[in-house]
Amino acid sequence: MSDTRITLAEARAYDRKRWLWPMGFGIIILVAAATVAGWLSGITVLMFAGPIMVYGIVPLLDFMIGKDSTNPPERVLDVLEDDPFYRYSTYIYVLVQLVLFIAVCVVVGTQPLTIWQWLGFVSTIGMLSGISINTAHELGHKNTAVESWLAKIALAPVAYGHFYVEHNFGHHKRVATPEDPASARLGESFWRFLPRTVIGSARSAWHIEKRRLARKGRPTWSLHNEVLQSWGMTAVLWIGLMAAFGVALLPFLIIQAVLGASLLEAVNYCEHYGLKRQKHDNGRYERCRPEHSWNNDHIVTNIFLFHLQRHSDHHAHPTRRYQSLRHFDEAPELPTGYAGMIVLAYMPWLWYRVMDHRVLAHYDGDIRLANLDPRNRDRLLAQYPPPAT
């Protein structure tokens, strides 16, 4: 019998994007460098490198470079999963982001800035903080103490530590159902979705931890509460920075956190818009399948977000590392990467024009199968009459 074992070198050869993954933290270094260069040189527009990159350069590069829908063969997945190169890329990202965050806080807290310079710093760090939540998402699904704590560290600057609990134990259970605060409904604008998901996710995370601790016979208000642990890390970080560089830093910290969290939720808005798992006769929802997530294979955004756009496989295998996530032909496809889609999400009329007919086509014209916004249900049913039965 021939030896069918796959070596690490052979497995690596199947990852066509292998040497692109470190670009994730490489790009944020370049963005931070451009921002500082803009401050030092007086070319203030460079200080807005964060939003320029997220809303302009990345969508343009997605369009120019295109897609990669190749999958690693099943026989190499276990070897790729064990390759430390991929873990270290995420570890370094968290450390680089934290250093850059503190460095910018030092500048904002100690240097005289014009209003435009201040806005440049806060918008760029807000974008980078939002992207770092995605790295926390990747790390937070892994079953190691190191990666769990790195996930919480990545969430600390943006004050979104409850995401660690809610995403893993709330969203993944209720995804693509009306009960999930992180699944957008057909006819629901991003601006209505945003407060619903922010408030609903925080409330859900708290209840999840409360029930978990009750099962263990522990009080909710204790150091064992992972929501309090995460929020406590934010408090320590923010208070430490203000103690060192002044209370005047507080507006900067709050605004960059709001921008970062809203960027994450814009991605959440795109991931499951209008998609719904159907209920069985026993009242339980069907199992989550590839058709319950919007996917995309544009290379640049996938590199930037550690394959987050292969979202169907992520929901099927939450602990699978990003390099092993696969493309599914049966999953519905977004017309462009998440970076481009969030720009559309900010303009509801354009978003509906691009996406609503795609949801309708996904359900073969029967809009009743979609996750409908209750406020717009009657209008949607009148606009898209279900097929006669």
Side-chain angles (χ1 to χ4, degrees), residues 352 356 360 367 376-386:
Y352 297 147
D356 283 11
L360 187 66
I367 202 170
N376 290 301
R377 182 180 178 86
D378 292 342
R379 176 184 66 79
L380 291 166
L381 289 172
Q383 184 176 356
Y384 305 109

Side-chain angles (χ1 to χ4, degrees), residues 308-327:
L308 181 67
Q309 295 178 139
R310 293 191 169 186
H311 210 60
S312 291
D313 202 16
H314 167 68
H315 273 280
H317 304 94
T319 61
R320 178 170 284 172
R321 295 187 183 275
Y322 63 93
Q323 68 272 18
S324 303
L325 294 176
R326 299 161 300 171
H327 162 85

Side-chain angles (χ1 to χ4, degrees), residues 184-188 269 271-275 294 351-352 356 359:
R185 300 160 179 169
L186 183 69
E188 179 181 37
Y269 180 76
E271 288 174 342
H272 305 284
Y273 176 77
L275 302 180
W294 290 100
W351 173 269
Y352 297 147
D356 283 11
V359 177

